[in-house]
């Protein structure tokens, strides 16, 4: 807080205290003494005194004194001496800089050392009743501050009230009210209020003091008399042009009293019916001549007392106004800068250009306390109103005006703020501004800058009444326009980026490939939905970390590249990525970031591996019988060994059986090809499963059960005939029996069951093997799947069996517990009666 | 070629396919070698420890313990470590053959093979081993494989 400001607050505090003193119930001498104390504090005076005039004897008697060594109270001297004489003579305050020179005859030796002295008359009832004085001693070398005389005058006004209260005890109650009114002024003044609020307070104090309905302080502004402060003034009256009688009275410094306004020809119709009957206006000088007007609800005679009271309030108000004016510029500047700072903060987070415009209009209105504000943007050679703030402005947004038009156009053309205190004087403004047309009279505008000094639009504020725009206000408006330009540019940039971002996000979200982008530090900045799905890591977890931190696997390679195979873990599951990488570089060649695109090729990879395994498995399966065939043939061809007939028979037997084995493998491959192509044909006939299964088991018994195990048949007594292709059915049963034996320990039992169900017969082959776990059971009918990869086999047996059963209209499934053997069951449809017969 | 018992080469054939064991037996016995057979891994290990053959012909694809595992166990066992192993493999991929050599096998035979070649192979191998060139032989075979892999 500046020294000046502190001083202002201190002064108001002292005035408040003084006003309360007067309003209190204390004796006159005591009140005057206290007033002197306040005067010394307020004026930083070395001493102060108060003399009361005895008009009959033309002498001054000291009623109170402070700051003197000698007891001055009761001291009497002729009224034509000293500075007091000057004040009495002038009827107004006096400031003397060299006391010794100005005063030829010292009233009292106590005044000998004084250099600078102020004096203000204390008046009541139209007569001067005394003098309030304050002085600075020569030795201090100090001078009074500017405005000190006004303050002393204000205190003299309070002393007058105290005096009046003392003299007119019958009016004590009224005086108390007046005092309270003044106290209110002082109380309001003790807060850092604006000049407008001070004037409002003065109006209220006047209304209270005189018992008026409402009151106003009218001050000249832009050549007109306008309501600068008001208490309960109806809106209609506030906006009405003051009648000539008041304008002239203000200009001449005269009072106006109207007992019956209704019948008073001096007032125009609008004023006669404005809700009041009587009016009292007294001159108030607040940096220009104005009036303090009190309006009364009823007809009223005005006496001298009323004029006196009104005059006192006017004087108190004047002091307050003058003092506040001194601080007003600074206060406005500070308020504006605070408001600007606030608007800067408020504008910053606003990233929607339309919202920014609305915010700017709002801020401009608040900043200057204007009635309305608007932001118009240039479109071609027109200004299009983009946002407006203020009451009754429906429909103005979107209106257009030529950019070469009046005032707003000037701001564009001049690239500088423009203002008008009252546009009604200007005939050219018609149609230039939609907001102005909604009953606004004062206008100020600043250009909104764009890039490279291009003007983009106009920020304008409006006032309903003529208003002289202060220089600070115009500067603040221009500053806000500057802020707004930046905010607008940011918002537009952001919107463009947001749009691009939204577009790329939409693309990223919808591509099937995982897309991951990292910045120059290798931290993830993009992690799209597919990346989430493929890696199992949500974007929220990945962003800001490096891919290695997220996946425990480096994605980056030294030089980029396409379709690298990279395994990662998705939870417990290994996932293979086919990864492409693009390196983004700064113009300088520095790496600015990397983009990784990847697909989950685990499934493809599994299939690839199965295919590759299949090839090697089939190769193995073919090579094994071939080895026997080729080997025994070569062996038989040896001429160096003489083989017995038995040996020859055995060798040839192997050649034959291994050739059959080879044929079976080739047949299986053909079956798979047919199943894949959907060209497998079945020729179903009715089959008696009891007979069929008994034969199958019998035939299988010999070669299959080389390990000492046995088959047990468990067939229902009544098994209806089924529809099946006997060859294909045999293939299925053989496959299941072979598997059962293959995966069973030596000497174990393989059960074959047949159960009649409605519409179907279920055949089950159950072994006592190690069983299969749930994950194997899911895949066991898959092509190429082999439960135990060390076992010979193509991984096609069960795949083919499933295909065959399905082709015959049945289905196949497995139930198993690991270690508890397996139950493979297939169902076949029952043959209908006609077929069975 | 003396028919003395102590001079006869003993070959252990481990293969789950009976015809192939028979094939090996017939053709090796014709060359006056002694053949013992095992139809799976565990039986093969037992036979190797008990019979201490001069050479083991080992099939790779067997249920239960496969050839790779049997080889590791044999080479990890004090008693059988020095017995040279020849893999009999139907797996055509070069990497499968390389794996056998990497494990410590000295040679491999790819099915189908001409059984008449078995005896010369065993004999030649034993000559090299007798000259202390077992490791060299293995390296030669590996080099051959690498040469064909890089083609």
């Amino acid at each position: 807080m500046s020294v000046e400001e502190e001083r202002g607050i201190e002064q108001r505090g002292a005035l408040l205290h003084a006003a309360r003193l007067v309003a209190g119930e204390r004796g006159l001498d005591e009140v005057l003494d206290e007033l002197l104390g306040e005067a010394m504090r307020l004026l930083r005076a070395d001493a102060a005194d108060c003399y009361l005039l005895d008009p009959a004897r033309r002498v001054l008697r000291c009623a109170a004194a402070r700051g003197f060594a000698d007891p001055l109270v009761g001291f009497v001297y002729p009224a034509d001496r000293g500075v007091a004489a000057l004040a009495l003579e002038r009827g107004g305050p006096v400031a003397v800089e060299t006391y010794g020179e100005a005063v030829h005859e010292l009233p009292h030796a106590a005044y000998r050392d004084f250099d600078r002295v102020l004096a203000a008359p204390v008046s009541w009832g139209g007569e001067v009743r005394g003098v309030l004085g304050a002085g600075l001693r020569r030795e201090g070398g100090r001078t009074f501050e500017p405005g000190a005389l006004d303050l002393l005058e204000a205190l003299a006004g309070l002393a007058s009230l105290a005096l009046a209260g003392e003299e007119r005890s019958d009016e004590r109650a009224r005086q108390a009210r007046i005092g309270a009114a003044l106290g209110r002024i002082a109380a309001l003044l003790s807060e850092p209020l604006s000049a407008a609020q001070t004037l409002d307070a003065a109006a209220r104090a006047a209304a209270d003091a005189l018992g008026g309905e409402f009151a106003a302080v009218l001050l000249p502004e832009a050549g007109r008399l306008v309501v600068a402060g008001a208490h309960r003034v109806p809106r209609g009256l506030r906006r009405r042009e003051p009648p000539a009688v008041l304008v002239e009275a203000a200009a001449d410094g005269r009072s106006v009293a109207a007992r019956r306004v209704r019948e008073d020809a001096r007032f125009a119709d609008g004023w006669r019916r404005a809700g009041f009957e009587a009016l009292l206006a007294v001159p108030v000088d607040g940096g220009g001549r104005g009036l303090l007007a009190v309006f009364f609800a009823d007809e009223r005679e005005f006496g001298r007392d009323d004029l006196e009271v009104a005059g006192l309030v006017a004087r108190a108000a004047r002091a307050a106004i003058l003092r506040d004016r001194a601080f007003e510029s600074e206060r406005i500047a500070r308020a504006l800068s605070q408001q600007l700072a606030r608007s800067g903060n408020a504008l910053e987070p606003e990233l929607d250009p339309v919202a920014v415009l609305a915010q700017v209009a709002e801020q401009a209105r608040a900043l200057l306390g204007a009635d309305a504000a608007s932001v118009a943007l240039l479109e071609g050679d027109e200004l299009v109103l983009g946002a407006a703030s203020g009451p009754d402005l429906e429909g103005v947004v979107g209106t257009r005006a030529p950019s070469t038009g009046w005032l707003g156009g000037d701001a564009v053309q001049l690239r500088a703020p423009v203002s008008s205190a009252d546009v009604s004087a200007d005939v050219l403004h018609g149609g230039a501004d939609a907001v102005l047309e909604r009953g606004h009279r004062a206008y100020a505008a600043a250009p909104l800058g764009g890039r490279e000094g291009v003007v983009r639009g106009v920020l304008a504020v409006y006032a309903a009444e003529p208003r002289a725009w202060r220089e600070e206000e115009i500067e603040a408006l221009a500053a806000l326009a500057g802020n707004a330009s930046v905010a607008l540019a940011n918002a537009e940039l952001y919107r463009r980026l947001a749009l691009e971002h939204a577009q790329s996000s939409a693309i990223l979200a919808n591509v099937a490939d995982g897309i991951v982008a990292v910045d120059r530090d290798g931290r993830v900045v993009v992690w799209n939905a597919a990346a989430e799905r493929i890696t199992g890591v949500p974007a929220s977890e990945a962003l800001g970390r490096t891919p290695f931190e997220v996946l425990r696997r480096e994605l980056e390679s030294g030089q980029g590249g396409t379709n690298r195979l990279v395994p990662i873990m998705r939870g417990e599951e290994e996932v293979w990525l086919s990864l492409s990488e693009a390196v983004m570089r700064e113009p300088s060649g520095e790496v600015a970031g990397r983009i990784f695109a990847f697909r989950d090729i685990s499934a493809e990879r599994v299939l690839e591996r199965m295919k590759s395994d299949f090839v090697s498995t089939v190769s193995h399966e073919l090579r094994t019988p071939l080895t026997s065939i080729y080997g025994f043939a070569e062996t038989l061809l040896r001429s160096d060994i003489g083989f017995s007939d038995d040996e020859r028979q055995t060798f040839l037997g192997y050649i034959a059986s291994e050739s059959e084995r080879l044929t079976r493998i080739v047949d299986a491959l053909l079956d798979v090809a047919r199943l894949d192509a959907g060209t497998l044909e079945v020729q179903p006939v009715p089959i008696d499963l009891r007979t069929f299964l008994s034969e199958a088991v019998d035939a299988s018994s010999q070669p299959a059960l080389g390990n000492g195990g046995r088959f047990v048949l468990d067939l229902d007594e009544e098994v209806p005939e089924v529809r099946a292709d006997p060859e294909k059915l045999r293939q299925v049963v053989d496959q299941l029996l072979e598997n059962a034996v293959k995966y069973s320990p030596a000497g174990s039992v393989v059960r074959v069951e047949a159960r009649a169900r409605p519409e179907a017969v279920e055949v089950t082959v159950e072994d006592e093997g190690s069983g299969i776990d749930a994950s194997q059971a899911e895949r066991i009918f898959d092509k190429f799947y082999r439960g135990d990869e060390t076992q010979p086999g193509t991984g096609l047996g069960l795949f083919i069996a499933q295909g065959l059963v399905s082709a015959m209209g049945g289905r196949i499934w497995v139930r198993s517990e690991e270690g508890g053997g397996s139950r493979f069951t297939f169902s076949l449809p029952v043959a209908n009666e006609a077929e069975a017969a | 070629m003396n028919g003395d018992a102590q001079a006869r080469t003993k070959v252990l054939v481990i293969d789950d396919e009976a015809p192939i064991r028979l094939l090996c037996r017939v053709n090796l016995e014709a060359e006056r070698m002694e053949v013992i057979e095992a139809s799976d891994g565990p039986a093969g290990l037992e036979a190797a420890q008990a019979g201490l053959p001069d050479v083991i012909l080992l099939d790779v694809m067997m249920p239960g313990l496969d050839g790779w595992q049997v080889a590791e166990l044999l080479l990890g066992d004090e008693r059988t470590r020095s017995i040279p192993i020849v893999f009999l493999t139907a797996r055509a991929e070069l990497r499968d053959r390389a794996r056998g050599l990497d494990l410590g096998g000295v040679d491999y035979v790819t099915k189908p093979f001409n059984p008449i070649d078995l005896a010369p192979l065993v004999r030649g191998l034993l000559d090299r081993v007798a000259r202390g060139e077992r490791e060299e032989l293995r390296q030669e075979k590996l080099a051959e494989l690498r040469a064909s892999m890089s083609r």
Side-chain angles (χ1 to χ4, degrees):
Chain A
M1 204 183 276
S2 75
V3 175
E4 268 196 337
E5 284 173 277
E6 279 177 24
R7 188 87 182 100
I9 287 169
E10 187 190 330
Q11 288 179 355
R12 285 182 211 112
L15 268 180
L16 169 66
H17 188 225
R20 281 182 183 150
L21 276 175
V22 175
E25 298 287 319
R26 302 203 218 176
L28 179 64
D29 291 346
E30 197 185 338
V31 168
L32 291 177
D33 183 55
E34 290 282 343
L35 272 177
L36 292 185
E38 294 304 328
M40 284 174 69
R41 259 197 295 284
L42 265 175
L43 305 178
R44 305 202 170 170
D46 292 328
D49 55 17
C50 183
Y51 283 82
L52 295 181
L53 180 70
D54 182 340
R57 291 168 54 204
R58 291 302 294 171
V59 293
L60 289 163
R61 190 184 65 84
C62 185
R66 282 198 180 201
F68 298 96
D70 310 73
L72 282 177
V73 175
F75 168 67
V76 176
Y77 72 93
D80 57 356
R81 282 190 201 167
V83 178
L86 294 173
L88 291 174
E89 189 181 314
R90 198 175 287 178
V94 177
V96 168
E97 297 211 341
T98 43
Y99 186 65
E101 286 175 24
V103 180
H104 304 294
E105 207 172 336
L106 282 179
H108 191 281
Y111 297 115
R112 191 174 47 231
D113 306 331
F114 285 84
D115 195 9
R116 293 166 196 277
V117 170
L118 304 177
V122 176
S123 309
W124 174 243
E127 286 169 15
V128 177
R129 299 298 181 90
V131 176
L132 197 61
L136 291 173
R137 288 197 172 85
R138 196 172 299 118
E139 65 206 22
R142 294 186 298 124
T143 58
F144 283 110
E145 290 171 14
L149 197 58
D150 290 327
L151 287 172
L152 187 67
E153 205 182 352
L155 287 168
L158 292 173
S160 304
L161 282 177
L163 202 57
E166 178 70 12
E167 288 183 1
R168 311 267 301 259
S169 57
D170 57 329
E171 283 194 12
R172 270 197 97 83
R174 183 161 160 250
Q175 294 310 321
R177 205 173 69 219
I178 293 166
L182 288 167
R184 182 170 297 116
I185 295 182
L188 284 165
L189 291 181
S190 70
E191 289 167 33
L193 298 174
S194 69
Q197 284 167 310
T198 303
L199 293 171
D200 286 347
R204 180 176 179 185
D208 285 356
L210 294 167
E213 190 67 14
F214 47 90
V217 178
L218 302 161
L219 289 177
E221 192 175 306
R224 296 166 59 253
L225 203 57
V226 299
V227 175
H231 173 63
R232 298 166 67 182
V233 174
R235 192 171 164 79
L237 187 63
R238 208 182 247 260
R239 304 185 62 159
R240 200 153 282 151
E241 192 81 31
V245 59
L246 292 184
V247 177
E248 284 162 15
D252 299 345
R254 284 186 287 110
S255 297
V256 175
R259 286 180 296 170
R260 291 166 60 85
V261 173
R262 194 181 288 278
E263 294 164 7
D264 199 321
R266 293 176 296 175
F267 293 89
D269 265 7
W271 275 70
R272 288 193 203 163
R273 293 184 189 80
F276 66 97
E277 290 295 335
L279 175 148
L280 177 64
V282 295
V284 59
D285 188 354
R289 290 172 170 230
L291 292 174
L292 172 61
V294 183
F295 303 80
F296 301 89
D298 300 312
E299 288 181 23
R300 175 151 176 177
E301 296 288 340
F302 295 107
R304 225 173 81 173
D305 288 359
D306 293 317
L307 272 172
E308 286 287 335
V309 170
L312 281 175
V313 175
R315 276 162 70 189
R318 180 193 169 220
I321 292 162
L322 288 176
R323 197 179 47 257
D324 270 334
R325 286 262 157 119
F327 300 108
E328 184 71 357
S329 290
E330 190 188 337
R331 185 187 296 125
I332 287 175
R334 195 177 70 238
L336 287 175
S337 62
Q338 282 172 351
Q339 186 73 34
L340 266 177
R342 271 200 296 278
S343 76
N345 290 340
L347 289 176
E348 208 164 337
E350 213 38 92
L351 290 171
D352 170 16
V354 177
V356 168
L357 292 184
Q359 272 275 2
V360 168
E362 205 67 50
Q363 295 292 343
R365 190 172 158 222
L367 179 65
L368 299 188
D371 295 316
S374 74
V375 184
L377 294 182
L378 269 177
E379 275 182 26
D381 53 3
E382 285 184 313
L383 278 169
V384 182
L385 206 71
S389 165
D392 309 323
L393 290 179
E394 289 80 21
V396 298
V397 170
T399 57
R400 290 165 181 269
S403 66
T404 51
W406 179 83
L407 273 181
D410 292 347
V412 173
Q413 308 301 329
L414 298 172
R415 297 182 187 179
V418 294
S419 67
S420 170
D422 186 358
V423 297
S424 58
D426 197 322
V427 291
L428 295 175
H429 79 277
D433 187 309
V435 179
L436 208 49
E437 284 179 355
R438 302 283 167 102
H440 293 106
R441 295 184 60 179
Y443 177 89
L448 283 174
R451 269 173 297 180
E452 289 147 16
V454 178
V455 174
R456 302 201 38 201
V458 174
L459 170 61
V461 288
Y462 312 80
E465 295 302 322
R467 168 171 172 177
W469 303 99
R470 288 170 161 275
E471 203 175 315
E472 310 93 88
E473 291 176 327
I474 300 297
E475 278 168 14
L477 185 66
L480 178 61
N483 281 357
S485 302
V486 173
L488 192 60
N490 282 346
E492 283 168 348
L493 182 64
Y494 176 79
R495 185 175 61 170
R496 211 159 51 239
L497 289 177
L499 194 66
E500 282 168 18
H501 183 73
Q503 285 169 343
S504 45
S505 294
I507 292 168
L508 285 179
N510 286 299
V511 292
D513 283 9
I515 305 285
V516 168
V518 298
D519 61 17
R520 70 187 68 243
D521 301 323
R523 310 216 163 266
V524 172
V525 291
V526 172
W527 191 272
N528 75 342
E532 289 185 324
R533 195 179 61 244
I534 292 169
T535 63
V537 179
S540 56
E541 234 173 76
L543 291 172
R545 300 164 70 204
T546 66
F548 186 82
E549 287 168 348
V550 178
L551 301 173
R552 313 308 309 163
R553 165 74 59 173
E554 205 64 76
L555 293 184
E556 222 168 272
S557 77
Q559 62 289 330
T562 53
N563 299 325
R564 268 186 301 132
L565 273 184
V566 176
I568 60 162
M569 296 305 290
R570 174 169 59 209
E572 297 293 302
E573 184 187 359
E574 188 178 52
V575 174
W576 283 81
L577 305 182
S578 170
L579 179 82
S580 296
E581 176 183 355
V583 181
M584 296 181 286
R585 290 184 189 279
E586 303 278 13
S588 62
E590 204 182 328
V591 173
R594 289 165 195 270
I595 296 177
F596 304 99
F598 49 84
R599 282 182 307 126
D600 175 4
I601 55 152
S602 306
E604 294 158 49
R605 207 184 134 78
V606 165
L607 195 66
E608 279 301 313
R609 215 186 65 200
M610 284 171 91
K611 278 183 181 164
S612 138
D613 283 358
F614 172 69
V615 170
S616 82
T617 305
V618 166
S619 152
H620 177 266
E621 288 297 298
L622 294 173
R623 279 165 189 272
T624 302
L626 269 178
T627 304
S628 296
I629 297 165
Y630 173 54
F632 283 113
E634 285 285 352
T635 304
L636 285 169
L637 285 171
R638 283 185 81 144
S639 51
D640 58 334
I641 312 171
F643 294 112
S644 68
D645 280 352
D646 279 354
E647 280 175 320
R648 283 174 188 279
Q649 279 299 317
T650 307
F651 298 169
L652 289 170
Y654 275 130
I655 290 175
S657 68
E658 291 298 290
S659 296
E660 270 176 39
R661 182 171 163 189
L662 206 52
T663 308
R664 279 203 308 276
I665 293 166
V666 172
D667 283 346
L669 291 174
L670 279 174
D671 280 343
V672 169
R674 288 193 190 110
L675 282 171
D676 282 348
T679 55
L680 184 91
E681 284 177 18
V682 290
Q683 290 168 328
V685 293
I687 291 175
D688 172 17
L689 277 176
R690 283 182 62 92
T691 315
F692 188 89
L693 290 174
S694 303
E695 284 174 8
V697 165
D698 195 39
S700 304
S701 293
Q702 297 302 330
L705 292 183
N707 63 0
R710 60 194 175 95
F711 290 120
V712 171
L713 275 177
D714 175 7
L715 311 176
D716 279 0
E717 286 298 316
E718 296 287 333
V719 178
E721 289 193 326
V722 295
R723 267 175 60 84
D725 181 321
E727 206 180 308
K728 306 282 190 280
L729 179 58
R730 183 58 190 264
Q731 217 178 318
V732 173
V733 173
D734 283 354
Q735 182 68 54
L736 294 182
L737 291 177
E738 187 188 320
N739 282 359
V741 172
K742 192 157 126 188
Y743 295 104
S744 290
S748 62
V749 171
V750 172
R751 293 173 65 85
V752 178
E753 300 169 8
R755 300 273 176 259
R757 304 273 182 238
E759 309 292 313
V761 176
E762 287 177 7
V763 177
T764 297
V765 176
E766 185 186 51
D767 64 44
E768 293 178 343
S770 53
I772 52 179
D773 64 33
S775 70
Q776 284 183 311
E778 272 177 28
R779 302 176 57 197
I780 202 159
F781 295 105
D782 288 356
K783 185 158 58 172
F784 309 138
Y785 181 78
R786 292 191 298 146
D788 178 354
E789 302 200 346
T790 64
Q791 287 282 3
T794 54
L796 294 175
L798 287 174
F799 172 74
I800 293 168
Q802 184 186 38
L804 295 176
V805 168
S806 171
M808 290 186 286
R811 65 186 192 92
I812 186 167
W813 64 92
V814 63
R815 277 204 197 102
S816 179
E817 280 163 33
E818 195 160 7
S822 307
R823 277 175 65 86
F824 283 88
T825 304
F826 65 88
S827 67
L828 287 171
V830 170
N832 62 38
E833 303 247 329
E835 278 178 306
Chain B
M1 228 180 271
N2 301 327
D4 296 331
Q6 74 260 37
R8 283 181 68 172
T9 300
K10 191 194 274 183
V11 179
L12 168 60
V13 180
I14 309 173
D15 195 315
D16 62 322
E17 295 275 342
I20 292 180
R21 294 198 300 271
L22 178 60
L23 205 52
C24 294
R25 169 186 292 280
V26 169
N27 284 284
L28 291 172
E29 282 179 349
E31 303 288 342
R32 307 186 59 80
M33 294 185 186
E34 186 187 341
V35 175
I36 49 177
E37 292 178 33
S39 66
D40 59 26
L45 287 171
E46 206 173 299
Q49 286 154 9
L52 294 176
D54 299 299
V55 174
I56 298 173
L57 301 182
L58 177 57
D59 182 31
V60 173
M61 282 275 254
M62 290 186 294
L65 275 184
D66 67 20
W68 312 129
Q69 293 167 307
V70 172
E72 278 176 319
L73 290 168
L74 287 171
L75 292 166
D77 187 326
E78 229 17 76
R79 294 164 291 178
T80 52
R81 178 175 295 163
S82 59
I83 308 170
I85 297 170
V86 175
F87 285 102
L88 296 178
T89 173
R91 299 188 66 122
E93 282 84 4
L94 295 172
R95 64 165 192 275
D96 287 328
R97 304 180 200 172
R99 184 171 172 189
L101 295 179
D102 280 340
L103 281 173
V106 290
D107 205 349
Y108 57 86
V109 172
T110 309
K111 296 177 181 176
F113 55 88
N114 189 337
I116 297 166
D117 296 338
L118 277 180
L121 183 138
V122 168
R123 211 173 284 126
L125 181 145
L126 286 175
D127 284 350
R128 297 283 305 264
V129 172
R131 291 205 296 271
E133 295 172 14
R134 174 173 164 160
E135 187 54 26
E136 283 87 339
L137 178 60
R138 198 174 75 90
Q139 291 302 333
E140 276 169 33
K141 294 291 170 185
L142 266 176
E144 274 173 36
L145 260 181
R146 286 203 196 94
S148 48
M149 276 166 112
S150 63
R151 269 203 300 274

